[in-house]
Amino acid sequence: MKRALEHLKVENVRLVDRVSPKKAALGTLYLTATHVIFVENTPDSRKETWILHSQISTIEKQATTATGCPLLIRCKNFQIIQLVIPQERDCHDVYISLIRLARPVKYEELYCFSFNPMLDKEEREQGWMLIDLSEEYKRMGLPNNYWQLSDVNRDYRVCDSYPTELYVPKSATAHIIVGSSKFRSRRRFPALSYYYKENHASICRSSQPLSGFSARCLEDEQMLQAIRKANPGSDFVYVVDTRPKLNAMANRAAGKGYENEDNYSNIKFQFIGIENIHVMRNSLQKMLEVCELKSPSMSDFLHIKAIMDAGIFHRKVSEEGASVLVHCSDGWDRTAQVCSVASLLLDPHYRTLRGFMVLIEKDWISFGHKFNHRYGNLDGDPKEISPVIDQFIECVWQLMEQFPCAFEFNERFLIHIQHHIYSCQFGNFLCNSQKERRELKIQERTYSLWAHLWKNRADYLNPLFRADHSQTQGSLHLPTTPCNFMYKFWSGMYNRFEKGLQPRQSVTDYLMAVKEETQQLEEELEALEERLEKIQKVQLSDTKVKSKQSEPSRHSGFSTSDNSTANTPQDYSGNMKSFPSRSPSQGDEDSALILTQDNLKSSDPDLSANSDQESGVEDLSCRSPSGGEHAPSEDSGKDRDSDEAVFLTA
Amino acid sequence: MEFSELIRTGRAQAQLLRGPEAPPLRGTLCVTGHHLLLSPGPQSTPDLWLLLLRNVDSIEKRVAGDSGTITLRCKDLRVLQLEIEGVEATLDIARSIEALSSLESVITSFPFFYRPKGLRLGDAWHFHPPERYYKRVARETDAWRLSEVNEDFSLCPSYPRAVIVPRAVDDDALARSARFRQGGRFPVLSYSHSPSGTVLLRSSQPLTGPQKRRCAEDEELLRAVLAGARPGARGFILDTRSAQAAKQARMTGGGTEAKAAYPGWKRLHRPLERGRPLQESFVRLVEACGDPEQSMDRWLSRLEGCRWLAHVKEALSTACLAAQAMEREGACILVHGAEGTDSTLLVTSLAQLILDPMSRTMAGFQELIEREWIQAGHPFQLRCAHSAFSHARPKHEAPTFLLFLDCVWQLGRQFPLSLEFGEGLLLALFEHAYASPFGTFLCNSEKERCLCEVRTRTHSLWSGLNQPKEQRKLQNPLYVLNPLAIWPSVEPQSLRLWQGLFLRWTHPPEPAEVAWEKVWQIVTGKEETEASQPTASA
């Protein structure tokens, strides 16, 4: 890192506070091979802001003003940084360098190849073994009488975007599979995504058939027949096309399309209507504009509802016991969304911390979701970029809001996964397929995010999780009537760096702290009781100990720090055009860490080191993206002068 | 009893429809003077008290063949559907409910008949007299006194008997100032913020009229306020109307304080919606919430179009402005609009919640409502005569108090650990404000309450709510005393639709209840018991 720091250095740069643009921190800007770093010059704090190049979404050079040349950096994790560089020439240099650095052309340039969390080789290998899909298929009860592991895609001979290990119906011979694959876009033939062992129903996935207006394929028809036969409980298969009908019809002209019910025996076909990646990309763009402008309208949601509605077909699996084949065009975007939402609703295992990692590994990573193209890790076609997995993550959050006790993990877990999908700090989400990852020897050259998350799992637990409650066991029951009311704006994600917009106190952190304290007190009690016994044995007076034992009041441990959850008033004077929240960087000043965080920090210094490297600003917010504990009284003291008289101008 | 004349049919066979997921409930429907009951049968479960008739906002009847359907839309936003045997019975029941639910007489209303076990008449009515708050103020400053100039409500019919005023101003001056203010609402103390030595006052608009009249005593009163506050304090007059509306009010005899007449005071205009537009906003929001089939786009555009959240935002930011000026600027604030009984109270009560940790406790919040809404003369009977479903042309209805509760809910969402009470209390207050067996929200002012003998002949809501069995529903298990001001974010991203209220009857409540149960378990340390008996949960 030291060496890289000399890459490019500009002095007297100002980091503009998005709250009150007049307030700006003066400091030095460094460009390294992997990060943009801004170090404040103020004598009392040398606060650092770190931004990974891979997080940078757009860089905008704005018109030069008297004070310098402004540069606006928007990140994929929704952070926005505005810098003012005194010299036009320096600004241009930074701009040109950043454009180059933010758009690497080779995988080797990505951060994960230089990132080293100080683990030895063995630990790294163990990390990669943490999530094992063959274990997962075993958990589902496979192989069994109906399903078997097929080696037809060995060396990616049939389909280069599929994994090598795939489960197919026992009655589907290699001949049928290969035949069917030739009739499917990108040769993505129907393969098993989830097996519901209670009633033998399954969720399979594929790409669209190359049916055109009248083409048929005997092997493909046999393939669907085989899927139906693999489920003795039902005499038909649902085929779900996740596209709007119009799009699917249009595809027929290009020789693609959808299954004709007449050609396949015993299928029931239906459309769901999730828009394509281009619509989704524009939708996110619009929403982010809304977030930024602070216009009081929020009429553009991601198309979460359609995905959720699609996920509701899980009822067909759990209640009707019918198997389902899901596809869209290529079967790697909408299909992945729908299969994973359905699995999540069906199986409580996927609602646990480890299960959720398995789910992403299974439906997204192994089945060839094009991470590199969708999230623009390497410089490529901007039309390929689309927030497909972001939507899935938001779906999960919406479900968490509706079922607060059903998930073992919390909001922070989702936000960190989203962050790392873009950060390229870990190798999990690199490339577009398993084949590419193997060729690049990802597992030998990078580290696994899952191991990192698992190690810090205490940070990601949902204190309200009730695994044993009837409501959270088995499949989750969404209301039968589709209801729009439930969907909320996820400010924890989209305004993640505008801490002022978040709830100022975190219920999750508070409850975790209470839980921990309860546990500690109990241990203490136990220890004291033990001691008491000993003391009594030695025939000593025990009064002192007893009184001590009853003394610690439940909340005393953290009440003081929690109490100081003050914040500063924003500009309420009505001129709402200005960016009113507190600056993202203020997160660093928040020294009022509540109990858990102190404990975690000491118990795991490695973690803080990591997040430091990742992005200094994020350091604290990283641990409590939900807003949490805020500025103690000293903070309000600091801000007093600057906030003064703001409203007087009105 | 005179109610019997209004009851055409007391009984009918009926069934209550309970949505697609539950079977209908059969039984005998009974209309009594104040209630609608459904008795499922002699041997089974006890009678189901469907509702207080006062709670009915609108009634819709439909007959087909030899049976009929009645749809009751309630003021607490619930919708009940009853299928009744017999066309005649349906029409009679509907007419009886219509007549009984729209009775206007206060003294025949249910609170005058409600005699619950375990509560004594007269209890809790004296929990929050003006003297008590005055004692709190007097502990910190002697610049104020408790005046009984309004003893017989002659000076100001909407003020309580005793009000807190500057010590330097005598009762005669108060009387003159009252004549200069609409409805006699002269400036009185609402809240004294001791950390910064400043005060919050409220009044109604001055009657300057087109001739720009002045009143020396009124000016003297405000001068005395500044003199009694922190040395060098300035004042802000926060007018909850736009500058233009305030100017226009002059034509009808009202107006606003002239700058030259009140040295040291500066005027700010923060227009807040009130009256009919606010009621319409509420009606449109509830309408949008009642249609589960609409598309996502349609729902979002209706949510935005009704502007309810915009009103929440305006109310909160105005209150924040007042609070900020007091805490940060060390300024005194006088809030008024026109009458000073609606948006004025909204601003003063929210500002106190933001600044004063006391008002965020269970007892303190009840005191705040009593002092700043009930005794301060918010005309509950007029404002809450109808809720969102009524087809009647709104006259004086406006959900100002609901808007206040919504703002409090937003504060609670942003500071989940800082309020001692939970959503349960806010929901209860909403219900009781519109239809209640208790007398607390009856009438429009202390004067009327006095005439109707509400205090001696009905039970106080506070004694009902403060029973130990109610506490768990009303309290916030996460509460930790927060001694500082709580500054909410008023950006649209930070404000949420209050689902617990607006979607209360359409939203399956179970997941939230299960979560709440768990929170209680964690906080009270009872969690282990659950873990040790994994099968116990239902």
Side-chain angles (χ1 to χ4, degrees):
Chain A
M1 223 66 235
K2 276 268 150 55
R3 176 189 49 85
L5 271 174
E6 281 135 38
H7 208 85
L8 184 72
K9 177 178 167 187
V10 187
E11 309 249 19
N12 293 324
V13 174
R14 279 176 307 132
L15 178 69
V16 179
D17 192 325
R18 308 264 322 161
V19 192
S20 39
K22 281 180 201 137
K23 237 180 4 177
L26 197 67
T28 310
L29 184 75
Y30 300 92
L31 293 194
T32 74
T34 52
H35 287 85
V36 181
I37 306 161
F38 178 82
V39 184
E40 264 180 46
N41 279 351
T42 40
D44 50 334
S45 82
R46 285 183 55 82
K47 206 170 70 188
E48 295 176 12
T49 305
W50 291 58
I51 296 158
L52 258 173
H53 294 325
S54 50
Q55 287 288 4
I56 295 175
S57 165
T58 62
I59 312 151
E60 203 180 301
K61 218 170 96 181
Q62 296 170 322
T64 313
T65 62
T67 50
C69 204
L71 200 63
L72 190 69
I73 304 173
R74 287 196 179 81
C75 300
K76 294 168 182 169
N77 58 5
F78 313 113
Q79 187 173 13
I80 300 171
I81 297 280
Q82 191 173 9
L83 299 166
V84 180
I85 299 170
Q87 295 296 321
E88 157 90 58
R89 233 191 53 208
D90 287 337
C91 182
H92 189 70
D93 283 350
V94 171
Y95 177 71
I96 295 294
S97 314
L98 274 182
I99 285 203
R100 168 69 192 85
L101 289 167
R103 291 184 181 71
V105 288
K106 282 200 317 248
Y107 282 118
E108 281 74 10
E109 293 177 48
L110 293 173
Y111 185 37
C112 56
F113 289 97
S114 57
F115 171 68
N116 183 358
M118 310 295 172
L119 296 176
D120 59 32
K121 184 162 166 279
E122 203 175 308
E123 285 171 302
R124 174 166 68 196
E125 280 165 8
Q126 277 174 356
W128 282 109
M129 267 148 42
L130 180 71
I131 300 302
D132 180 2
L133 285 187
S134 45
E135 277 298 312
E136 171 60 13
Y137 287 111
K138 245 183 242 163
R139 191 191 66 88
M140 291 182 200
L142 300 177
N144 63 8
N145 287 337
Y146 304 107
W147 294 89
Q148 65 181 8
L149 186 67
S150 163
D151 66 346
V152 68
N153 201 32
R154 189 172 2 113
D155 302 326
Y156 309 100
R157 280 186 306 200
V158 176
C159 172
D160 59 2
S161 61
Y162 264 5
T164 48
E165 292 194 356
L166 283 166
Y167 277 85
V168 293
K170 241 184 186 159
S171 57
T173 59
H175 172 73
I176 292 177
I177 296 172
V178 172
S180 165
S181 77
K182 286 180 181 152
F183 189 63
R184 296 269 167 184
S185 272
R186 317 229 180 219
R187 311 192 70 178
R188 292 170 69 93
F189 56 89
L192 183 82
S193 164
Y194 179 71
Y195 177 75
Y196 193 54
K197 63 181 162 209
E198 264 91 297
N199 60 9
H200 306 296
S202 61
I203 299 175
C204 296
R205 54 186 288 175
S206 71
S207 61
Q208 64 186 341
L210 304 174
S211 51
F213 289 100
S214 58
R216 302 181 52 164
C217 167
L218 184 63
E219 288 86 357
D220 194 58
E221 288 159 27
Q222 286 171 336
M223 186 73 194
L224 264 71
Q225 188 81 352
I227 292 173
R228 185 181 65 73
K229 278 193 209 144
N231 177 5
S234 175
D235 43 17
F236 54 85
V237 174
Y238 281 101
V239 177
V240 174
D241 189 326
T242 58
R243 296 168 293 183
K245 190 170 181 187
L246 209 64
N247 300 20
M249 306 261 280
N251 262 305
R252 288 211 300 201
K256 299 164 187 170
Y258 52 92
E259 290 82 354
N260 183 342
E261 277 190 26
D262 300 338
N263 295 343
Y264 293 82
S265 53
N266 303 316
I267 67 164
K268 291 191 181 177
F269 184 85
Q270 73 182 73
F271 289 108
I272 296 181
I274 303 177
E275 294 291 349
N276 62 24
I277 58 170
H278 311 295
V279 176
M280 299 296 181
R281 179 178 55 244
N282 296 336
S283 169
L284 177 67
Q285 190 53 44
K286 267 201 245 166
M287 195 183 65
L288 291 180
E289 279 165 21
V290 171
C291 288
E292 237 177 280
L293 291 173
K294 298 285 149 60
S295 68
S297 94
M298 276 187 279
S299 52
D300 213 78
F301 261 67
L302 289 180
H303 297 245
I304 299 302
K305 183 169 175 298
I307 301 168
M308 208 78 109
D309 287 352
I312 289 180
F313 78 75
H314 79 282
R315 278 174 185 261
K316 295 197 162 77
V317 176
S318 65
E319 284 160 26
E320 294 176 35
S323 295
V324 179
L325 170 67
V326 184
H327 70 72
C328 48
S329 298
D330 292 320
W332 51 39
D333 293 321
R334 287 166 276 195
T335 301
Q337 290 176 332
V338 167
C339 287
S340 47
V341 169
S343 305
L344 197 73
L345 289 169
L346 267 176
D347 192 335
H349 177 66
Y350 296 125
R351 304 194 288 263
T352 64
L353 207 72
R354 185 190 277 266
F356 189 70
M357 301 194 276
V358 169
L359 184 66
I360 292 187
E361 188 72 33
K362 170 169 76 78
D363 277 325
W364 295 84
I365 299 176
S366 85
F367 270 101
H369 177 64
K370 301 200 294 174
F371 281 93
N372 177 35
H373 286 163
R374 293 292 172 263
Y375 313 115
N377 296 341
L378 294 188
D379 196 20
D381 181 0
K383 284 207 185 66
E384 281 283 315
I385 294 176
S386 187
V388 181
I389 201 167
D390 299 59
Q391 287 180 319
F392 164 66
I393 290 174
E394 171 156 353
C395 278
V396 180
W397 180 79
Q398 300 282 1
L399 284 172
M400 279 164 59
E401 285 285 294
Q402 284 185 46
F403 300 97
C405 300
F407 292 82
E408 191 191 13
F409 46 87
N410 58 26
E411 182 186 30
R412 192 176 304 162
F413 186 58
L414 297 181
I415 291 176
H416 284 194
I417 290 177
Q418 192 270 355
H419 177 90
H420 286 297
I421 284 167
Y422 290 94
S423 77
C424 302
Q425 186 176 343
F426 298 92
N428 304 59
F429 305 114
L430 247 46
C431 308
N432 292 320
S433 66
Q434 193 184 66
K435 181 170 179 247
E436 285 182 36
R437 277 187 293 274
R438 294 223 169 133
E439 281 165 4
L440 210 58
K441 298 195 170 28
I442 291 292
Q443 301 210 351
E444 288 154 48
R445 300 166 67 189
T446 71
Y447 295 86
S448 168
L449 171 66
W450 305 137
H452 174 75
L453 294 176
W454 185 250
K455 200 172 77 187
N456 300 311
R457 59 188 173 276
D459 273 358
Y460 303 123
L461 290 178
N462 169 18
L464 298 178
F465 179 52
R466 299 178 78 164
D468 54 343
H469 198 280
S470 63
Q471 207 179 74
T472 60
Q473 286 170 332
S475 69
L476 286 183
H477 291 282
L478 290 171
T480 30
T481 43
C483 193
N484 301 316
F485 309 141
M486 314 298 182
Y487 299 97
K488 300 170 185 167
F489 175 72
W490 189 8
S491 63
M493 173 68 96
Y494 302 108
N495 290 115
R496 183 180 160 194
F497 290 91
E498 273 86 62
K499 291 286 172 223
L501 300 181
Q502 317 289 331
R504 312 300 171 88
Q505 296 170 318
S506 160
V507 174
T508 304
D509 289 340
Y510 176 77
L511 289 176
M512 289 311 283
V514 172
K515 271 181 116 163
E516 200 165 318
E517 172 148 319
T518 308
Q519 206 183 338
Q520 275 177 9
L521 286 175
E522 261 157 30
E523 279 163 20
E524 209 175 307
L525 182 71
E526 223 166 87
L528 285 169
E529 271 171 356
E530 239 167 67
R531 234 177 89 197
L532 187 66
E533 232 167 80
K534 275 184 204 156
I535 292 169
Q536 277 171 337
K537 271 183 197 158
V538 199
Q539 305 263 313
L540 274 173
S541 148
D542 58 356
T543 44
K544 245 185 193 171
V545 189
K546 245 185 190 165
S547 65
K548 204 175 185 184
Q549 170 188 325
S550 55
E551 214 170 81
S553 86
R554 293 196 38 75
H555 300 258
S556 60
F558 40 81
S559 58
T560 43
S561 54
D562 251 3
N563 281 348
S564 56
T565 39
N567 59 78
T568 49
Q570 61 184 80
D571 177 3
Y572 297 111
S573 58
N575 177 14
M576 292 307 171
K577 263 173 228 142
S578 64
F579 207 82
S581 69
R582 305 170 64 225
S583 79
S585 51
Q586 244 166 335
D588 271 10
E589 290 170 12
D590 299 347
S591 51
L593 288 171
I594 55 170
L595 197 70
T596 27
Q597 292 176 332
D598 277 330
N599 286 355
L600 289 172
K601 211 166 199 172
S602 54
S603 72
D604 191 1
D606 197 28
L607 171 73
S608 48
N610 278 345
S611 46
D612 244 357
Q613 262 180 342
E614 205 175 288
S615 133
V617 179
E618 214 214 327
D619 184 15
L620 276 173
S621 56
C622 199
R623 328 182 118 262
S624 57
S626 48
E629 57 307 317
H630 260 268
S633 37
E634 49 146 10
D635 183 39
S636 25
K638 247 184 231 167
D639 272 27
R640 186 158 292 189
D641 309 313
S642 48
D643 275 16
E644 216 165 2
V646 173
F647 65 95
L648 293 180
T649 55
Chain B
M1 196 152 54
E2 63 227 81
F3 299 118
S4 55
E5 296 155 24
L6 300 170
I7 302 174
R8 288 162 171 265
T9 302
R11 278 159 198 281
Q13 290 304 309
Q15 55 179 355
L16 174 69
L17 305 182
R18 295 191 293 181
E21 315 224 326
L25 195 69
R26 280 174 188 289
T28 310
L29 192 70
C30 311
V31 183
T32 74
H34 293 290
H35 285 94
L36 191 64
L37 280 83
L38 189 72
S39 169
Q43 69 281 6
S44 60
T45 48
D47 292 356
L48 186 68
W49 290 70
L50 283 185
L51 45 85
L52 201 58
L53 287 174
R54 172 98 192 134
N55 195 357
V56 175
D57 206 23
S58 85
I59 175 163
E60 197 182 295
K61 48 188 185 282
R62 203 174 291 144
V63 287
D66 55 358
S67 71
T69 321
I70 292 182
T71 307
L72 297 175
R73 292 194 166 76
C74 302
K75 290 174 183 167
D76 61 8
L77 309 183
R78 193 165 20 151
V79 178
L80 290 179
Q81 280 209 306
L82 293 159
E83 265 183 23
I84 298 169
E85 286 172 23
V87 174
E88 205 54 35
T90 309
L91 296 178
D92 282 346
I93 293 232
R95 268 183 227 131
S96 313
I97 295 175
E98 251 164 30
L100 288 164
S101 64
S102 55
L103 283 180
E104 296 210 345
S105 152
V106 173
I107 52 165
T108 59
S109 65
F110 185 58
F112 286 85
F113 300 89
Y114 181 53
R115 295 292 175 264
K117 267 184 232 151
L119 294 185
R120 267 189 329 179
L121 218 51
D123 268 2
W125 277 113
H126 303 288
F127 272 14
H128 313 293
E131 290 78 11
R132 199 156 136 172
Y133 186 66
Y134 174 68
K135 267 186 202 143
R136 207 186 132 190
V137 175
R139 269 203 298 274
E140 283 138 14
T141 162
D142 61 352
W144 299 86
R145 69 186 179 95
L146 193 69
S147 165
E148 296 191 347
V149 64
N150 200 36
E151 175 80 66
D152 54 355
F153 305 110
S154 59
L155 212 55
C156 172
S158 61
Y159 270 170
R161 290 170 187 281
V163 288
I164 305 172
V165 294
R167 188 173 292 283
V169 179
D170 62 23
D171 282 358
D172 288 343
L174 291 179
R176 285 209 192 83
S177 170
R179 279 198 285 281
F180 184 61
R181 295 273 174 180
Q182 183 174 0
R185 293 175 70 91
F186 52 91
V188 295
L189 181 97
S190 159
Y191 166 63
S192 161
H193 188 55
S194 52
S196 64
T198 57
V199 290
L200 182 64
L201 300 124
R202 52 181 158 74
S203 71
S204 61
Q205 64 178 345
L207 300 173
T208 51
Q211 296 89 29
K212 299 193 184 172
R213 273 185 295 145
R214 293 175 56 170
C215 169
E217 288 78 7
D218 193 71
E219 291 163 18
E220 170 56 33
L221 201 160
L222 288 193
R223 202 163 27 240
V225 169
L226 291 188
R230 178 187 80 95
R234 288 181 306 154
F236 288 97
I237 296 170
L238 196 59
D239 196 322
T240 61
R241 301 165 296 179
S242 67
Q244 203 197 354
K247 215 175 200 172
Q248 270 171 0
R250 283 222 295 267
M251 304 325 288
T252 51
T256 177
E257 292 84 355
K259 208 182 283 175
Y262 297 89
W265 290 87
K266 202 176 159 192
R267 227 170 50 224
L268 294 169
H269 290 276
R270 281 289 170 281
L272 294 184
E273 205 61 87
R274 67 197 81 210
R276 190 176 295 176
L278 193 59
Q279 176 74 9
E280 273 162 15
S281 168
F282 176 41
V283 170
R284 284 170 68 193
L285 173 59
V286 171
E287 245 171 46
C289 291
D291 179 5
E293 304 287 331
Q294 63 202 331
S295 72
M296 191 66 155
D297 288 347
R298 178 103 183 94
W299 156 245
L300 289 172
S301 76
R302 285 172 83 174
L303 182 61
E304 193 192 336
C306 77
R307 296 194 36 82
W308 180 261
L309 284 173
H311 300 323
V312 169
K313 175 189 157 86
E314 291 308 323
L316 269 177
S317 56
T318 307
C320 287
L321 179 69
Q324 194 182 8
M326 289 175 72
E327 163 113 342
R328 298 291 162 118
E329 282 288 301
C332 296
I333 305 283
L334 167 65
V335 186
H336 72 69
E339 292 97 340
T341 54
D342 292 279
S343 45
T344 303
L345 305 180
L346 184 63
V347 174
T348 57
S349 52
L350 284 173
Q352 291 179 52
L353 268 174
I354 292 166
L355 290 176
D356 182 13
M358 271 287 285
S359 69
R360 302 195 288 257
T361 63
M362 181 68 94
F365 186 65
Q366 293 179 5
E367 193 263 348
L368 182 76
I369 298 220
E370 182 74 32
R371 182 164 50 82
E372 286 296 284
W373 287 90
I374 297 168
Q375 295 175 15
H378 178 66
F380 277 98
Q381 201 185 340
L382 291 174
R383 297 290 180 259
C384 302
H386 286 289
S387 169
F389 291 123
S390 170
H391 302 301
R393 223 178 129 71
K395 289 184 294 250
H396 303 289
E397 289 82 358
T400 320
F401 187 62
L402 172 61
L403 184 60
F404 164 71
L405 295 176
D406 197 332
C407 291
V408 179
W409 180 82
Q410 307 282 352
L411 280 173
R413 201 188 80 80
Q414 294 192 27
F415 295 90
L417 315 181
S418 297
L419 304 183
E420 196 186 10
F421 47 91
E423 188 180 37
L425 178 66
L426 301 178
L427 290 174
L429 289 172
F430 165 68
E431 279 171 22
H432 286 285
Y434 279 90
S436 170
F438 297 98
T440 296
F441 289 111
L442 286 180
C443 304
N444 295 308
S445 65
E446 285 296 280
K447 183 183 178 185
E448 288 180 22
R449 260 168 236 128
C450 208
L451 287 173
C452 298
E453 299 174 81
V454 168
R455 279 165 179 267
T456 47
R457 294 178 53 194
T458 72
H459 283 282
S460 160
L461 174 63
W462 310 130
S463 66
L465 290 183
N466 290 335
Q467 295 175 86
K469 61 174 181 183
E470 302 286 331
Q471 287 308 298
R472 199 159 209 186
K473 275 188 283 181
L474 309 176
Q475 268 178 356
N476 174 12
L478 302 168
Y479 175 68
V480 181
L481 176 77
N482 178 351
L484 301 165
I486 51 173
W487 301 107
S489 159
V490 297
E491 298 317 313
Q493 294 96 318
S494 310
L495 301 178
R496 286 246 181 113
L497 177 69
W498 185 5
Q499 297 198 338
L501 187 124
F502 292 106
L503 302 175
R504 188 173 173 194
W505 310 103
T506 42
H507 203 295
E510 295 84 12
E513 281 166 10
V514 172
W516 213 226
E517 219 177 285
K518 179 79 176 180
V519 170
W520 273 103
Q521 284 170 2
I522 294 174
V523 173
T524 52
K526 300 261 167 61
E527 210 190 345
E528 322 67 64
T529 51
E530 185 194 44
S532 61
Q533 314 165 339
T535 50
S537 54

